[in-house]
Amino acid sequence: MKRYASCYCRYSSDKQQQQSIDHQLERIEAFCKKHDITLIEQYIDEAQTGTSDQRKAFQRMIEDSEHSKWGYLLVYDLSRLARNVEDQMFYQKILKQHGIMIISVEEKFDSSPEGHLFSLITAGINEYYSKHLAKRSFAGVMQNAKKGIAIGGIPPLGFDVDENKHYIINKKEAESVKIIFNKTAAGWSRQEIKDYLNEEGYLSKRGRPFSNSFYEILRNRKYIGEYVFNLSTKKKSRGKRSDRVNNEDDIVRIPGGLPQIIDKQTFDKVQHMLNKRRNSSVIEFKPTKYLMSGRLECGYCGMAYSGGASFSKRRNIPYAYYGHLNYKQGRCKSKDIPVLYIDNWVKEFVIKDFLSMNNLSERTKDINDQIKIERDKIKQEIKALKSRMSSIETILQEKAKQLVSSNFSIFALEDAEETKNEMAKIERELRQKQRRMELLKRITNEKLAKTIKKFKNLWKSKENYDDLGKFIYEMLSRLVITNEIIKAYINYDMITRKLCDFDIEIASIDRSLLMRIWRN
């Protein structure tokens, strides 16, 4: 069997002695040649630390792995992949889910429990090395901070750093900082401040026109001469950073540690205004309860709808709607839909029509026609699974011969195990299909009538809005929404009490009619 692989190489951003990219590639290519592996992709990160997963080539590799042609990821050693156990286990799991096997060409871990344990021990050692190095480096940084020395990065607007790494005032930029504080204290909006700064020719720290984002500037205590360092927590796993501040004992604060640009009175007034603005920014509009929350599904992408609220500028009123994230992000065409339209249709038409005893025989026949279509589909699936099992049995016999002739090599063992797992998976699926066929039977008029009677009694006993929501949640399995049509389903289990998980369509409507129905 032809094997395809990609490789990931990295050298660190710290100053430690690292294997060069060329050397890593040389060892990986030698490994490929020895084991007849075709290397079709290389992912290389230069001067990137392994303690963070926010590496361009690394993230591209993870993304590509989901639909890749290659089944192996080769690394010089596991420390190239990640330098902490949590990240390594997290991404090993993702790659495994994508069918990718990680091979360390230097450490030679096998797929046995012992090999897995040794890889975790090695990852732990790598993490300890990285954290120990970081701890020593951070201790030196903290000492510099306590002396008021600038610790890298771009200085805030209004400041520069001299040759001794101390903050000094940039007069032109300091003028813009004073304008931002004074205009904010005077009640100007962010847009008005932005327009004024740009009209007067002031530029941001990066030499660009100002945007209307001044929050970080207005909250920065450096402008009242207070040197602050280590305010936020360290980066979390997988590159995410917490918004929480550190314990006060861990924060370096030096009053008078750098030149002052804004007087304390103005700064405190602005902080009070910001706090007041933040505490008052709550949504006053509380829309109606979302009856169909948890039961709506997009007919295009399958994503669940959830309730939301917005404000109509044209009609000058708030309104509630059902929508989903894929549409908001431009990945799906299924539009948002007003809550009142959907909830009204379900209450006034879907439920009342279902609870009616009219046309019972015709409705039973319609349900049985849907059951027949599903049973025919399952029969074809069972036939295909049995055919696949027969082919795999022949393949397994060939794999057994290859295993012996290859002296039980790791790749032959892996091929045999993969085929065996595929057979087990198909057997499980076959049993599920056969069980589904046993459970999915035709229903009778009497069975449907009994179900309708039960829900009629529940409908009569409801006392409030919460009871209505519970009723709908128990009766309907889902509503599928597209831009053209909406379909309502109940579950076969609700009628038969058999765990078959088959949805039966009981109502549908052209989406364009919803508004007209609600108005009527």
Side-chain angles (χ1 to χ4, degrees):
M1 184 178 75
K2 194 68 176 174
R3 296 182 179 86
Y4 297 98
S6 70
C7 69
Y8 176 72
C9 301
R10 176 187 66 81
Y11 71 83
S12 181
S13 58
D14 59 38
K15 304 302 181 185
Q16 303 299 307
Q17 193 83 16
Q18 295 289 341
Q19 297 290 346
S20 71
I21 296 295
D22 289 341
H23 180 68
Q24 292 177 47
L25 285 173
E26 183 183 326
R27 297 292 295 153
I28 289 169
E29 288 168 355
F31 182 88
C32 290
K33 187 175 181 181
K34 180 179 178 181
H35 295 281
D36 192 26
I37 298 173
T38 303
L39 191 64
I40 59 174
E41 190 70 63
Q42 296 178 0
Y43 300 92
I44 297 172
D45 278 314
E46 298 182 351
Q48 296 289 315
T49 176
T51 59
S52 168
D53 63 352
Q54 298 305 299
R55 296 168 254 148
K56 189 174 180 180
F58 179 81
Q59 289 298 333
R60 184 163 55 87
M61 178 269 294
I62 294 295
E63 186 178 334
D64 291 351
S65 69
E66 187 173 3
H67 305 290
S68 64
K69 186 179 178 181
W70 41 273
Y72 302 91
L73 176 67
L74 305 182
V75 293
Y76 179 80
D77 59 42
L78 289 179
S79 70
R80 303 303 90 207
L81 203 61
R83 275 203 180 274
N84 69 68
V85 176
E86 186 182 358
D87 274 359
Q88 184 172 308
M89 291 179 70
F90 176 79
Y91 286 109
Q92 278 184 331
K93 183 178 180 181
I94 287 179
L95 290 167
K96 187 177 180 181
Q97 289 171 345
H98 294 169
I100 308 297
M101 180 180 180
I102 302 172
I103 297 177
S104 169
V105 301
E106 287 298 298
E107 292 156 328
K108 296 183 175 60
F109 302 123
D110 57 37
S111 57
S112 67
E114 293 80 6
H116 181 64
L117 175 62
F118 187 53
S119 72
L120 290 179
I121 292 171
T122 303
I125 293 171
N126 290 335
E127 182 173 3
Y128 168 78
Y129 164 78
S130 178
K131 286 185 174 179
H132 181 65
L133 182 65
K135 187 177 179 181
R136 288 193 300 173
S137 300
F138 188 69
V141 169
M142 286 292 281
Q143 288 300 315
N144 286 337
K146 289 174 182 178
K147 299 174 185 176
I149 294 175
I151 311 296
I154 299 173
L157 181 72
F159 291 105
D160 288 329
V161 176
D162 65 17
E163 62 275 7
N164 297 317
K165 295 188 177 180
H166 287 102
Y167 287 107
I168 57 174
I169 290 179
N170 179 315
K171 291 183 179 180
K172 181 66 174 177
E173 290 180 0
E175 289 177 14
S176 63
V177 172
K178 290 176 181 177
I179 290 169
I180 292 168
F181 273 90
N182 292 333
K183 299 297 185 187
T184 300
W188 284 35
S189 70
R190 290 176 298 175
Q191 185 67 34
E192 288 172 331
I193 297 171
K194 182 199 84 167
D195 292 342
Y196 180 83
L197 289 168
N198 291 334
E199 286 170 7
E200 294 296 319
Y202 291 101
L203 296 174
S204 70
K205 193 67 182 179
R206 297 182 182 274
R208 301 169 186 165
F210 279 94
S211 68
N212 61 358
S213 177
F214 302 112
Y215 185 83
E216 295 296 328
I217 293 173
L218 295 171
R219 288 294 194 185
N220 197 335
R221 298 186 67 84
K222 284 188 172 72
Y223 293 122
I224 56 172
E226 183 178 307
Y227 182 99
V228 182
F229 177 72
N230 200 34
L231 184 66
S232 62
T233 56
K234 294 179 182 177
K235 61 186 178 182
K236 296 287 185 179
S237 174
R238 291 184 278 285
K240 296 179 181 176
R241 193 172 181 89
S242 168
D243 290 333
R244 296 172 298 176
V245 297
N246 283 327
N247 294 328
E248 193 62 34
D249 292 342
D250 297 325
I251 301 172
V252 176
R253 294 186 187 274
I254 308 175
L258 68 166
Q260 184 175 356
I261 295 177
I262 302 299
D263 64 88
K264 187 75 162 52
Q265 185 178 356
T266 302
F267 185 86
D268 288 344
K269 181 180 179 181
V270 168
Q271 303 315 299
H272 177 73
M273 293 174 68
L274 293 176
N275 293 337
K276 187 177 179 181
R277 189 181 301 168
R278 182 182 61 188
N279 294 334
S280 64
S281 61
V282 294
I283 297 175
E284 296 179 2
F285 169 53
K286 294 182 179 178
T288 180
K289 292 183 180 179
Y290 302 96
L291 283 179
M292 297 308 302
S293 184
R295 284 290 186 256
L296 300 180
E297 178 185 306
C298 177
Y300 300 118
C301 68
M303 192 171 191
Y305 278 71
S306 59
S310 189
F311 195 87
S312 172
K313 292 182 180 178
R314 182 173 62 86
R315 299 172 61 195
N316 198 34
I317 58 169
Y319 70 95
Y321 65 89
Y322 292 113
H324 66 88
L325 193 61
N326 280 352
Y327 173 69
K328 290 177 175 62
Q329 295 180 346
R331 297 198 298 264
C332 182
K333 62 181 180 179
S334 189
K335 299 176 182 177
D336 298 342
I337 189 165
V339 166
L340 292 175
Y341 294 179
I342 285 286
D343 289 0
N344 177 69
W345 177 61
V346 170
K347 285 188 296 180
E348 301 301 327
F349 292 89
V350 177
I351 292 175
K352 289 183 179 179
D353 286 351
F354 179 75
L355 297 182
S356 167
M357 288 292 186
N358 297 335
N359 304 318
L360 193 64
S361 296
E362 194 175 310
R363 289 158 66 189
T364 303
K365 180 181 180 301
D366 179 63
I367 290 173
N368 284 329
D369 287 344
Q370 294 183 55
I371 291 171
K372 182 180 183 302
I373 292 170
E374 183 67 13
R375 283 178 62 86
D376 290 344
K377 178 184 171 185
I378 296 171
K379 284 178 184 177
Q380 292 299 317
E381 291 171 346
I382 288 174
K383 184 178 178 181
L385 287 170
K386 286 181 176 178
S387 174
R388 180 62 182 150
M389 283 177 66
S390 178
S391 301
I392 291 178
E393 284 172 359
T394 304
I395 294 171
L396 273 173
Q397 293 173 5
E398 292 296 321
K399 296 291 183 187
K401 294 176 184 177
Q402 292 174 12
L403 203 57
V404 174
S405 62
S406 67
N407 233 357
F408 295 88
S409 75
I410 182 173
F411 292 110
L413 279 167
E414 185 200 344
D415 288 346
E417 186 68 22
E418 186 179 326
T419 308
K420 186 179 175 182
N421 290 340
E422 186 180 357
M423 174 65 92
K425 182 181 177 182
I426 292 174
E427 287 174 345
R428 285 195 302 273
E429 192 175 348
L430 180 62
R431 287 195 296 270
Q432 290 170 358
K433 299 290 184 187
Q434 290 170 336
R435 176 63 176 161
R436 190 171 169 83
M437 278 290 287
E438 292 172 9
L439 294 174
L440 196 57
K441 305 290 187 184
R442 291 170 58 85
I443 65 167
T444 62
N445 286 350
E446 292 74 17
K447 180 70 75 173
L448 181 58
K450 186 177 179 181
T451 302
I452 292 172
K453 186 177 179 180
K454 170 196 164 185
F455 277 95
K456 260 190 174 181
N457 293 333
L458 286 173
W459 180 256
K460 290 176 183 177
S461 66
K462 72 183 191 317
E463 295 180 357
N464 52 43
Y465 214 79
D466 288 336
D467 288 344
L468 175 60
K470 290 174 184 175
F471 176 88
I472 290 173
Y473 200 81
E474 186 172 345
M475 176 184 149
L476 294 178
S477 60
R478 61 187 174 129
L479 259 68
V480 177
I481 299 175
T482 68
N483 291 335
E484 293 77 31
I485 195 167
I486 299 170
K487 295 182 179 181
Y489 293 85
I490 60 172
N491 201 279
Y492 178 81
D493 305 353
M494 189 188 79
I495 302 173
T496 63
R497 295 298 172 190
K498 294 179 180 179
L499 299 177
C500 191
D501 192 28
F502 171 60
D503 284 339
I504 298 166
E505 182 186 333
I506 60 166
S508 64
I509 187 171
D510 188 315
R511 181 165 172 164
S512 63
L513 298 176
L514 283 176
M515 183 172 68
R516 188 186 309 167
I517 289 172
W518 174 72
R519 284 178 173 172
N520 291 337

